[in-house]
Coordinates of all heavy atoms in Angstrom, one line a residue:
M1 N 102.1 108.5 105.7 CA 102.2 109.4 104.6 C 103.6 110.0 104.5 O 104.0 110.7 105.3 CB 101.2 110.5 104.8 CG 101.2 111.6 103.9 SD 99.9 112.9 103.9 CE 99.5 113.1 105.6
P2 N 104.3 109.6 103.4 CA 105.7 110.1 103.2 C 105.7 111.6 103.1 O 105.0 112.2 102.3 CB 106.1 109.4 102.0 CG 105.2 108.2 101.8 CD 103.9 108.6 102.4
E3 N 106.7 112.2 103.8 CA 106.9 113.6 103.7 C 107.8 113.9 102.5 O 108.9 113.3 102.3 CB 107.6 114.1 105.0 CG 107.8 115.6 105.0 CD 108.3 116.0 106.4 OE1 107.8 115.6 107.4 OE2 109.4 116.8 106.3
L4 N 107.5 114.8 101.6 CA 108.2 115.2 100.5 C 109.1 116.4 100.7 O 110.2 116.6 100.2 CB 107.3 115.5 99.3 CG 106.4 114.4 98.8 CD1 105.5 115.0 97.7 CD2 107.2 113.3 98.3
C5 N 108.6 117.3 101.6 CA 109.3 118.6 101.8 C 108.8 119.3 103.0 O 107.6 119.1 103.4 CB 109.0 119.5 100.5 SG 110.0 121.0 100.6
R6 N 109.6 120.2 103.6 CA 109.2 121.0 104.7 C 109.8 122.4 104.6 O 111.0 122.5 104.4 CB 109.7 120.3 106.0 CG 109.2 120.9 107.3 CD 109.9 120.2 108.5 NE 109.3 118.8 108.6 CZ 108.6 118.4 109.6 NH1 108.5 119.2 110.7 NH2 108.2 117.2 109.7
F7 N 109.0 123.4 104.7 CA 109.6 124.8 104.6 C 108.6 125.7 105.4 O 107.4 125.6 105.3 CB 109.7 125.2 103.2 CG 108.5 125.1 102.3 CD1 107.6 126.2 102.2 CD2 108.2 123.9 101.6 CE1 106.5 126.1 101.4 CE2 107.1 123.8 100.9 CZ 106.2 124.9 100.7
F8 N 109.2 126.7 106.1 CA 108.4 127.7 106.8 C 107.3 127.1 107.7 O 106.2 127.7 107.8 CB 107.9 128.8 105.8 CG 108.9 129.4 105.0 CD1 108.9 129.4 103.6 CD2 110.0 130.1 105.6 CE1 109.9 130.0 102.8 CE2 111.0 130.7 104.8 CZ 110.9 130.7 103.4
G9 N 107.5 126.0 108.2 CA 106.5 125.3 109.1 C 105.5 124.6 108.3 O 104.5 124.0 108.9
I10 N 105.6 124.5 107.0 CA 104.6 123.8 106.1 C 105.2 122.4 105.8 O 106.4 122.3 105.4 CB 104.3 124.6 104.8 CG1 103.7 126.0 105.2 CG2 103.4 123.8 103.9 CD1 103.7 126.9 104.0
I11 N 104.4 121.4 105.9 CA 104.8 120.0 105.6 C 104.0 119.6 104.4 O 102.8 119.7 104.3 CB 104.5 119.1 106.8 CG1 105.3 119.5 108.0 CG2 104.9 117.6 106.4 CD1 104.9 118.8 109.3
I12 N 104.8 119.1 103.4 CA 104.2 118.6 102.1 C 104.3 117.1 102.1 O 105.5 116.6 102.3 CB 104.8 119.2 100.9 CG1 104.8 120.7 101.0 CG2 104.2 118.7 99.6 CD1 103.5 121.4 100.9
A13 N 103.3 116.3 101.8 CA 103.3 114.9 101.8 C 102.4 114.3 100.8 O 101.5 115.0 100.2 CB 103.0 114.4 103.2
M14 N 102.5 113.0 100.5 CA 101.7 112.3 99.6 C 101.4 110.9 100.2 O 102.2 110.3 100.9 CB 102.4 112.0 98.3 CG 101.9 112.9 97.2 SD 102.8 112.4 95.6 CE 102.9 114.0 94.9
Y15 N 100.1 110.5 100.0 CA 99.8 109.1 100.4 C 100.1 108.1 99.3 O 100.0 108.5 98.1 CB 98.3 109.0 100.7 CG 97.8 109.7 101.9 CD1 97.0 110.8 101.9 CD2 98.1 109.2 103.2 CE1 96.6 111.5 103.0 CE2 97.6 109.8 104.3 CZ 96.9 110.9 104.2 OH 96.4 111.6 105.4
Y16 N 100.4 106.9 99.7 CA 100.6 105.9 98.6 C 99.2 105.5 98.1 O 98.3 105.3 98.8 CB 101.3 104.6 99.2 CG 102.7 104.8 99.5 CD1 103.3 105.0 100.7 CD2 103.6 104.9 98.4 CE1 104.6 105.2 100.9 CE2 105.0 105.1 98.6 CZ 105.5 105.3 99.8 OH 106.8 105.5 100.0
N17 N 99.2 105.3 96.8 CA 97.9 104.8 96.1 C 96.7 105.6 96.5 O 95.6 105.1 96.7 CB 97.7 103.3 96.4 CG 96.9 102.7 95.3 OD1 97.0 103.2 94.1 ND2 96.3 101.6 95.6
D18 N 96.9 107.0 96.5 CA 95.7 107.9 96.9 C 94.8 108.0 95.7 O 95.1 107.6 94.6 CB 96.3 109.2 97.3 CG 95.5 110.0 98.2 OD1 94.3 109.6 98.5 OD2 95.9 111.0 98.7
H19 N 93.6 108.5 95.9 CA 92.6 108.7 94.9 C 93.0 109.8 93.9 O 93.8 110.7 94.3 CB 91.2 109.0 95.6 CG 91.3 110.3 96.4 ND1 91.2 111.6 95.8 CD2 91.5 110.5 97.7 CE1 91.3 112.5 96.8 NE2 91.5 111.9 97.9
A20 N 92.4 109.8 92.7 CA 92.6 110.8 91.7 C 91.7 112.0 92.1 O 90.8 111.9 92.9 CB 92.1 110.3 90.4
P21 N 92.0 113.2 91.6 CA 93.1 113.6 90.7 C 94.5 113.6 91.5 O 94.5 113.6 92.7 CB 92.7 115.0 90.3 CG 92.0 115.5 91.5 CD 91.2 114.4 92.1
P22 N 95.6 113.6 90.7 CA 96.9 113.7 91.3 C 97.0 114.9 92.2 O 96.7 116.0 91.8 CB 97.8 113.8 90.1 CG 97.1 113.2 89.0 CD 95.6 113.5 89.2
H23 N 97.4 114.7 93.5 CA 97.4 115.8 94.4 C 98.5 115.5 95.5 O 99.0 114.4 95.6 CB 96.0 116.0 95.1 CG 95.6 114.8 95.9 ND1 95.0 113.7 95.3 CD2 95.6 114.6 97.2 CE1 94.7 112.8 96.2 NE2 95.0 113.4 97.4
F24 N 98.7 116.5 96.3 CA 99.6 116.3 97.5 C 98.8 117.0 98.7 O 97.8 117.7 98.5 CB 100.9 117.0 97.3 CG 100.9 118.5 97.0 CD1 101.0 119.4 98.0 CD2 100.8 118.9 95.7 CE1 101.0 120.7 97.8 CE2 100.7 120.3 95.4 CZ 100.8 121.2 96.5
H25 N 99.3 116.7 99.9 CA 98.8 117.2 101.1 C 99.7 118.2 101.7 O 100.9 118.0 101.8 CB 98.5 116.1 102.1 CG 97.5 115.1 101.5 ND1 96.2 115.1 101.8 CD2 97.6 114.0 100.7 CE1 95.5 114.1 101.2 NE2 96.4 113.5 100.5
A26 N 99.1 119.3 102.2 CA 99.9 120.4 102.9 C 99.3 120.5 104.3 O 98.1 120.6 104.4 CB 99.8 121.7 102.1
R27 N 100.2 120.6 105.2 CA 99.8 120.9 106.6 C 100.6 122.0 107.2 O 101.8 122.1 107.0 CB 100.1 119.6 107.4 CG 99.5 119.7 108.8 CD 99.5 118.3 109.5 NE 100.9 118.0 109.9 CZ 101.5 116.9 109.6 NH1 100.9 115.9 108.9 NH2 102.7 116.7 110.0
Y28 N 99.9 122.9 107.8 CA 100.5 124.1 108.5 C 99.9 124.2 109.8 O 98.7 124.7 109.9 CB 100.4 125.3 107.6 CG 101.0 126.5 108.2 CD1 102.4 126.6 108.4 CD2 100.2 127.7 108.6 CE1 103.0 127.8 108.9 CE2 100.8 128.8 109.1 CZ 102.2 128.8 109.3 OH 102.8 130.0 109.8
G29 N 100.5 123.8 110.9 CA 99.9 123.8 112.2 C 98.7 122.9 112.2 O 98.8 121.7 111.8
Q30 N 97.5 123.4 112.6 CA 96.3 122.6 112.6 C 95.6 122.7 111.2 O 94.6 122.0 111.0 CB 95.3 123.1 113.7 CG 95.9 123.0 115.1 CD 96.3 121.5 115.4 OE1 95.5 120.6 115.1 NE2 97.4 121.3 115.9
Q31 N 96.1 123.5 110.3 CA 95.4 123.6 109.0 C 95.9 122.5 108.0 O 97.1 122.1 108.0 CB 95.8 124.9 108.3 CG 95.5 126.1 109.2 CD 96.1 127.4 108.6 OE1 96.2 127.6 107.4 NE2 96.6 128.2 109.5
K32 N 95.0 122.0 107.2 CA 95.3 120.9 106.3 C 94.6 121.1 105.0 O 93.4 121.6 105.0 CB 94.9 119.5 106.9 CG 95.6 119.1 108.1 CD 95.1 117.8 108.6 CE 95.8 117.4 109.9 NZ 95.2 116.2 110.5
A33 N 95.2 120.8 103.9 CA 94.6 120.8 102.6 C 95.2 119.8 101.6 O 96.4 119.5 101.7 CB 94.7 122.3 102.0
A34 N 94.3 119.3 100.7 CA 94.8 118.5 99.6 C 94.8 119.4 98.4 O 93.8 120.1 98.1 CB 93.8 117.3 99.4
I35 N 95.9 119.5 97.7 CA 96.1 120.4 96.5 C 96.3 119.6 95.2 O 97.2 118.8 95.1 CB 97.4 121.3 96.8 CG1 97.4 121.9 98.2 CG2 97.5 122.4 95.7 CD1 96.4 122.9 98.5
D36 N 95.5 120.0 94.2 CA 95.6 119.4 92.9 C 96.9 119.8 92.3 O 97.3 121.0 92.2 CB 94.4 119.9 92.1 CG 94.4 119.2 90.7 OD1 95.3 119.4 89.9 OD2 93.4 118.5 90.4
I37 N 97.7 118.9 91.8 CA 99.0 119.2 91.2 C 98.9 120.0 89.9 O 99.7 120.9 89.7 CB 99.8 117.9 90.9 CG1 100.2 117.2 92.2 CG2 101.0 118.1 90.1 CD1 100.7 115.8 92.1
E38 N 97.9 119.7 89.1 CA 97.8 120.4 87.8 C 97.3 121.8 88.0 O 97.8 122.8 87.4 CB 96.9 119.6 86.8 CG 97.5 118.3 86.5 CD 98.9 118.4 85.9 OE1 99.2 119.3 85.1 OE2 99.7 117.5 86.3
T39 N 96.2 122.0 88.7 CA 95.6 123.3 88.9 C 96.0 124.1 90.1 O 95.8 125.3 90.1 CB 94.0 123.2 89.0 OG1 93.7 122.5 90.2 CG2 93.5 122.4 87.8
L40 N 96.7 123.5 91.0 CA 97.1 124.0 92.3 C 95.9 124.5 93.1 O 96.0 125.3 94.0 CB 98.1 125.1 92.1 CG 99.4 124.7 91.4 CD1 100.4 125.8 91.4 CD2 100.0 123.5 92.1
G41 N 94.7 124.0 92.7 CA 93.5 124.3 93.5 C 93.3 123.4 94.7 O 93.8 122.3 94.7
V42 N 92.6 123.9 95.7 CA 92.4 123.1 96.9 C 91.2 122.1 96.6 O 90.1 122.5 96.2 CB 92.0 124.0 98.1 CG1 91.6 123.2 99.3 CG2 93.1 124.9 98.4
I43 N 91.5 120.8 96.8 CA 90.5 119.8 96.6 C 89.7 119.6 97.9 O 88.5 119.5 97.8 CB 91.2 118.4 96.3 CG1 92.0 118.5 95.0 CG2 90.2 117.3 96.3 CD1 92.8 117.3 94.7
E44 N 90.3 119.7 99.0 CA 89.6 119.6 100.3 C 90.5 120.3 101.4 O 91.7 120.4 101.2 CB 89.2 118.2 100.7 CG 90.3 117.3 101.1 CD 89.9 115.9 101.5 OE1 89.3 115.2 100.7 OE2 90.1 115.6 102.7
G45 N 89.8 120.7 102.4 CA 90.5 121.4 103.5 C 90.7 122.9 103.2 O 90.1 123.4 102.3
E46 N 91.6 123.5 104.0 CA 91.8 124.9 103.9 C 93.1 125.3 104.5 O 93.6 124.7 105.5 CB 90.7 125.7 104.6 CG 90.7 127.1 104.4 CD 89.5 127.8 105.1 OE1 88.8 127.2 105.9 OE2 89.2 128.9 104.7
L47 N 93.8 126.2 103.9 CA 95.0 126.8 104.5 C 94.8 128.3 104.5 O 94.1 128.9 103.7 CB 96.3 126.6 103.6 CG 96.7 125.1 103.4 CD1 97.8 125.0 102.4 CD2 97.2 124.6 104.8
S48 N 95.5 129.0 105.4 CA 95.4 130.5 105.5 C 96.0 131.0 104.2 O 96.7 130.4 103.5 CB 96.3 131.0 106.6 OG 97.7 130.8 106.4
P49 N 95.6 132.2 103.8 CA 96.1 132.8 102.6 C 97.6 132.9 102.5 O 98.2 132.6 101.4 CB 95.5 134.2 102.6 CG 94.2 134.1 103.4 CD 94.6 133.1 104.4
R50 N 98.3 133.2 103.6 CA 99.7 133.2 103.6 C 100.3 131.8 103.3 O 101.2 131.7 102.4 CB 100.2 133.7 104.9 CG 101.8 133.8 105.0 CD 102.2 134.2 106.4 NE 103.6 134.0 106.5 CZ 104.3 132.9 106.8 NH1 103.6 131.8 107.0 NH2 105.6 132.8 106.9
A51 N 99.8 130.8 104.0 CA 100.3 129.5 103.8 C 100.0 129.0 102.4 O 100.9 128.4 101.7 CB 99.8 128.5 104.8
M52 N 98.8 129.3 101.9 CA 98.4 128.8 100.6 C 99.3 129.5 99.5 O 99.7 128.9 98.5 CB 96.9 129.1 100.3 CG 96.4 128.5 99.0 SD 96.5 126.7 99.0 CE 96.7 126.4 97.3
G53 N 99.6 130.7 99.7 CA 100.5 131.4 98.8 C 101.9 130.8 98.7 O 102.4 130.6 97.6
L54 N 102.4 130.4 99.8 CA 103.7 129.8 99.9 C 103.7 128.4 99.2 O 104.6 128.0 98.4 CB 104.2 129.7 101.3 CG 104.6 131.0 102.0 CD1 104.8 130.8 103.5 CD2 105.8 131.6 101.4
V55 N 102.6 127.6 99.5 CA 102.5 126.3 98.9 C 102.3 126.4 97.4 O 102.9 125.6 96.7 CB 101.3 125.6 99.6 CG1 100.9 124.3 98.8 CG2 101.5 125.2 101.0
S56 N 101.5 127.4 97.0 CA 101.3 127.5 95.5 C 102.6 127.9 94.8 O 102.9 127.4 93.7 CB 100.2 128.6 95.2 OG 99.0 128.2 95.7
E57 N 103.3 128.8 95.4 CA 104.6 129.2 94.8 C 105.6 128.0 94.7 O 106.2 127.8 93.7 CB 105.3 130.3 95.6 CG 106.6 130.8 95.1 CD 107.2 131.9 95.9 OE1 106.5 132.5 96.7 OE2 108.4 132.2 95.7
W58 N 105.7 127.2 95.8 CA 106.5 126.1 95.8 C 106.1 125.0 94.8 O 106.9 124.5 94.0 CB 106.5 125.5 97.2 CG 107.2 124.2 97.3 CD1 108.6 124.0 97.5 CD2 106.7 122.9 97.2 NE1 108.9 122.7 97.5 CE2 107.7 121.9 97.3 CE3 105.4 122.4 97.0 CZ2 107.5 120.6 97.3 CZ3 105.2 121.0 97.0 CH2 106.2 120.1 97.1
A59 N 104.8 124.7 94.8 CA 104.3 123.7 93.9 C 104.4 124.1 92.4 O 104.7 123.2 91.6 CB 102.8 123.4 94.2
A60 N 104.2 125.4 92.1 CA 104.4 125.8 90.7 C 105.8 125.6 90.2 O 106.1 125.2 89.1 CB 104.0 127.3 90.6
R61 N 106.8 125.7 91.1 CA 108.2 125.5 90.8 C 108.6 124.0 90.7 O 109.6 123.7 90.1 CB 109.1 126.1 91.8 CG 109.0 127.6 91.9 CD 109.9 128.1 93.0 NE 109.8 129.6 93.1 CZ 110.5 130.3 93.9 NH1 111.5 129.7 94.6 NH2 110.4 131.6 94.0
H62 N 107.7 123.1 91.2 CA 108.1 121.7 91.3 C 107.0 120.8 90.8 O 106.9 119.6 91.2 CB 108.4 121.4 92.8 CG 109.5 122.1 93.4 ND1 110.8 121.8 93.1 CD2 109.6 123.2 94.2 CE1 111.6 122.6 93.7 NE2 110.9 123.5 94.4
K63 N 106.3 121.2 89.8 CA 105.2 120.4 89.3 C 105.7 119.1 88.7 O 105.1 118.0 88.9 CB 104.4 121.2 88.2 CG 103.3 122.0 88.7 CD 102.4 122.5 87.6 CE 101.2 123.2 88.2 NZ 100.2 123.6 87.1
E64 N 106.8 119.1 87.9 CA 107.3 117.9 87.3 C 107.7 116.9 88.4 O 107.4 115.7 88.3 CB 108.5 118.2 86.4 CG 108.1 118.9 85.1 CD 107.1 118.1 84.3 OE1 107.2 116.9 84.2 OE2 106.1 118.7 83.8
E65 N 108.3 117.4 89.4 CA 108.7 116.5 90.5 C 107.5 115.9 91.3 O 107.5 114.8 91.7 CB 109.7 117.2 91.5 CG 111.0 117.6 90.9 CD 111.7 118.7 91.7 OE1 111.3 119.8 91.5 OE2 112.6 118.3 92.5
L66 N 106.5 116.8 91.5 CA 105.3 116.3 92.1 C 104.6 115.2 91.2 O 104.1 114.2 91.8 CB 104.3 117.5 92.4 CG 104.7 118.4 93.5 CD1 104.0 119.7 93.4 CD2 104.5 117.7 94.8
R67 N 104.5 115.5 89.9 CA 103.9 114.4 89.0 C 104.7 113.1 89.1 O 104.1 112.1 89.2 CB 104.0 114.9 87.6 CG 103.0 116.0 87.3 CD 103.0 116.4 85.8 NE 102.3 117.6 85.6 CZ 102.9 118.8 85.1 NH1 104.2 118.8 84.9 NH2 102.2 119.8 84.9
A68 N 106.0 113.2 89.2 CA 106.9 112.0 89.2 C 106.6 111.3 90.6 O 106.5 110.1 90.6 CB 108.3 112.4 89.1
D69 N 106.6 112.0 91.7 CA 106.3 111.4 93.0 C 104.9 110.8 93.0 O 104.7 109.8 93.6 CB 106.5 112.4 94.1 CG 107.9 112.4 94.6 OD1 108.7 111.4 94.4 OD2 108.3 113.4 95.2
W70 N 103.9 111.4 92.4 CA 102.6 110.9 92.3 C 102.6 109.5 91.7 O 102.0 108.5 92.2 CB 101.6 111.8 91.5 CG 100.3 111.2 91.4 CD1 99.8 110.5 90.3 CD2 99.2 111.2 92.3 NE1 98.5 110.1 90.5 CE2 98.1 110.5 91.8 CE3 99.1 111.7 93.6 CZ2 96.9 110.3 92.4 CZ3 97.9 111.5 94.3 CH2 96.8 110.8 93.7
E71 N 103.3 109.4 90.6 CA 103.4 108.1 89.9 C 104.2 107.0 90.8 O 103.8 105.9 90.8 CB 104.1 108.2 88.5 CG 103.3 109.0 87.5 CD 101.9 108.4 87.3 OE1 101.8 107.2 87.2 OE2 101.0 109.2 87.1
L72 N 105.2 107.5 91.5 CA 105.9 106.6 92.4 C 105.0 106.1 93.5 O 105.0 104.9 93.9 CB 107.1 107.3 93.0 CG 108.3 107.5 92.0 CD1 109.3 108.4 92.7 CD2 108.9 106.2 91.6
A73 N 104.2 107.0 94.0 CA 103.3 106.7 95.1 C 102.2 105.7 94.6 O 101.9 104.8 95.4 CB 102.6 108.0 95.7
R74 N 101.7 105.9 93.4 CA 100.7 104.9 92.9 C 101.3 103.5 92.7 O 100.6 102.6 92.9 CB 100.2 105.4 91.5 CG 99.6 106.8 91.5 CD 98.2 106.8 92.1 NE 97.3 106.1 91.2 CZ 96.0 105.9 91.5 NH1 95.5 106.2 92.6 NH2 95.3 105.3 90.6
A75 N 102.6 103.5 92.5 CA 103.3 102.2 92.4 C 103.9 101.7 93.7 O 104.6 100.7 93.7 CB 104.4 102.3 91.3
H76 N 103.6 102.4 94.8 CA 104.1 102.0 96.1 C 105.6 102.0 96.1 O 106.2 101.2 96.8 CB 103.5 100.7 96.6 CG 102.1 100.7 96.8 ND1 101.6 101.1 98.1 CD2 101.0 100.5 96.0 CE1 100.2 101.0 98.0 NE2 99.9 100.7 96.8
A77 N 106.3 102.9 95.4 CA 107.7 103.0 95.3 C 108.2 104.1 96.3 O 107.3 104.9 96.7 CB 108.2 103.3 93.9
T78 N 109.4 104.2 96.5 CA 110.0 105.2 97.4 C 109.9 106.6 96.7 O 110.3 106.7 95.6 CB 111.4 104.9 97.7 OG1 111.5 103.6 98.3 CG2 112.0 106.0 98.7
L79 N 109.3 107.5 97.5 CA 109.1 108.9 96.9 C 110.4 109.7 97.1 O 111.2 109.4 98.0 CB 108.0 109.6 97.6 CG 106.7 108.9 97.6 CD1 105.6 109.8 98.2 CD2 106.3 108.5 96.2
K80 N 110.6 110.6 96.1 CA 111.9 111.4 96.2 C 111.6 112.8 96.8 O 110.6 113.4 96.5 CB 112.4 111.6 94.7 CG 112.8 110.3 94.1 CD 113.2 110.6 92.7 CE 113.6 109.2 92.0 NZ 114.0 109.3 90.7
P81 N 112.5 113.1 97.8 CA 112.3 114.5 98.4 C 112.4 115.6 97.4 O 113.0 115.4 96.3 CB 113.5 114.5 99.4 CG 114.0 113.1 99.5 CD 113.6 112.4 98.3
I82 N 111.7 116.7 97.7 CA 111.7 117.9 96.8 C 112.3 119.0 97.6 O 112.0 119.2 98.8 CB 110.3 118.2 96.3 CG1 109.7 116.9 95.5 CG2 110.3 119.4 95.4 CD1 108.3 117.1 95.1
A83 N 113.1 119.8 97.0 CA 113.7 121.0 97.6 C 112.7 121.9 98.2 O 111.6 122.2 97.6 CB 114.6 121.7 96.6
P84 N 113.0 122.5 99.3 CA 112.1 123.5 99.9 C 112.1 124.8 99.2 O 113.0 125.1 98.5 CB 112.6 123.6 101.4 CG 114.0 123.3 101.3 CD 114.2 122.3 100.1
L85 N 111.1 125.6 99.6 CA 111.0 127.0 99.1 C 112.0 127.8 100.0 O 112.1 127.6 101.2 CB 109.6 127.5 99.3 CG 109.3 128.9 98.7 CD1 109.4 128.8 97.2 CD2 107.8 129.3 99.1
E86 N 112.8 128.6 99.3 CA 113.8 129.4 100.1 C 113.6 130.9 99.9 O 113.0 131.3 99.0 CB 115.2 129.0 99.6 CG 115.6 127.6 99.9 CD 116.9 127.2 99.4 OE1 117.7 128.0 98.8 OE2 117.3 126.0 99.5

């Protein structure tokens, strides 16, 4: 699973040719969640409220880049890193 970004101990990644809807995976310690790119809702898993807040803020700022990486992943192309939350 290619890593797109890492910030505050949170790792953001995407699988190649993953199932719909377009989403990314967030991991924080032992917590894991799949997050819908459009709604920023949790598809599966769970993150603490603090981690989810940081992930939501980051994803809202980078929706276009996440959409572009989703399309690259579907095509098995190299994904582009996304800037971390600062």
Side-chain angles (χ1 to χ4, degrees):
M1 172 169 39
E3 184 176 309
L4 301 176
C5 186
R6 186 182 291 240
F7 55 92
F8 303 120
I10 298 167
I11 298 168
I12 307 294
M14 254 182 214
Y15 288 109
Y16 285 106
N17 206 26
D18 208 352
H19 61 83
H23 64 280
F24 61 92
H25 297 264
R27 188 170 72 234
Y28 181 64
Q30 298 301 314
Q31 305 168 38
K32 298 178 184 178
I35 313 294
D36 185 295
I37 293 171
E38 296 307 318
T39 67
L40 302 183
V42 176
I43 298 170
E44 70 178 62
E46 186 176 19
L47 295 173
S48 67
R50 178 185 173 277
M52 188 61 208
L54 292 168
V55 169
S56 295
E57 181 181 345
W58 173 84
R61 294 179 184 186
H62 298 285
K63 272 192 175 185
E64 289 301 317
E65 293 161 282
L66 286 164
R67 287 182 194 116
D69 271 339
W70 176 262
E71 293 304 321
L72 290 171
R74 300 287 288 174
H76 294 271
T78 302
L79 305 186
K80 296 180 181 177
I82 301 175
L85 190 63
E86 297 179 1

